[in-house]
Amino acid sequence: MINTLTERMRGLASLFWREVAKFGAVGGVAFIIDNGLTYYLMHGPMTDSEAKARFVGASIATVFSWIANRFWTFRHRRQDNVVREFLMFILINGIGIGISTGFTALAKYAFGVTDKNMLFAAGVVGILVATVVRFFAYRFLVFNKELDDEPEFSHDHEIIERHPHTKPGIRVEGVAVKDPELPGPQL
């Protein structure tokens, strides 16, 4: 039982860190798209509309992020209902965009910051805060289909809860016997 729990915890940790690494790579590219476009807009066509420039940059980065996360980071967790998944993704990103744009607007309007580089930096801090919110929201709300089809992770959810279709290990005269329906060593 302890060995099975340990193996499953390692499997979950491995999966989690692989998803974090992929999410980080997608996020890094989206960060460059968002900030590159925002910086260009703040110092060019939208010179007096810093919060709007942040909104436009973040919106374009969001579209890239959905495609990359759907087809790479969380490809095994994609929902069958693509429209629902996209709408949830947009909702979560709307919250994230609100956080990053809010940091820029707060710096400009509440604290009276006028330096474009400081306003840009406030938006970057907002992006960092929003990134943490986004990862957990994507993982648990948007791309949340179980990995039961993938044998390596097919029973990870059992760490937290037992499903009615599984049976606990059988005991015969004080000796644990492996339940054939559960993966891995159970003795």
Side-chain angles (χ1 to χ4, degrees), residues 39-58:
Y39 190 84
Y40 165 73
L41 292 172
M42 278 184 171
H43 291 84
M46 300 177 102
T47 193
D48 293 327
S49 303
E50 294 85 358
K52 289 178 186 174
R54 173 63 64 194
F55 180 81
V56 170

Side-chain angles (χ1 to χ4, degrees), residues 12-134:
L12 278 176
S14 173
L15 173 65
F16 178 74
W17 287 113
R18 281 193 308 242
E19 286 179 346
V20 167
K22 289 178 180 180
F23 179 79
V26 169
V29 174
F31 182 84
I32 291 169
I33 292 169
D34 182 354
N35 287 297
L37 187 55
T38 299
Y39 190 84
Y40 165 73
L41 292 172
M42 278 184 171
H43 291 84
M46 300 177 102
T47 193
D48 293 327
S49 303
E50 294 85 358
K52 289 178 186 174
R54 173 63 64 194
F55 180 81
V56 170
S59 296
I60 291 172
T62 294
V63 172
F64 164 79
S65 180
W66 179 68
I67 293 168
N69 279 308
R70 176 169 171 71
F71 292 104
W72 188 47
T73 307
F74 299 110
R75 71 181 176 278
H76 297 307
R77 296 183 180 278
R78 291 186 296 209
Q79 294 182 18
D80 294 330
N81 186 341
V82 178
V83 173
R84 181 188 181 285
E85 179 186 272
F86 182 71
L87 291 175
M88 286 294 295
F89 192 86
I90 294 299
L91 175 66
I92 299 304
N93 272 283
I95 293 167
I97 290 170
I99 293 170
S100 63
T101 302
F103 271 64
T104 303
L106 186 67
K108 182 174 182 174
Y109 301 113
F111 297 115
V113 176
T114 57
D115 181 57
K116 291 191 184 308
N117 292 326
M118 291 302 293
L119 292 171
F120 181 80
V124 170
V125 172
I127 288 172
L128 296 175
V129 171
T131 297
V132 174
V133 171
R134 283 182 180 126

Side-chain angles (χ1 to χ4, degrees), residues 135-148:
F135 175 78
F136 287 103
Y138 292 168
R139 174 67 178 79
F140 294 107
L141 299 174
V142 180
F143 302 108
N144 60 352
K145 185 176 177 182
E146 290 293 333
L147 293 177
D148 286 340

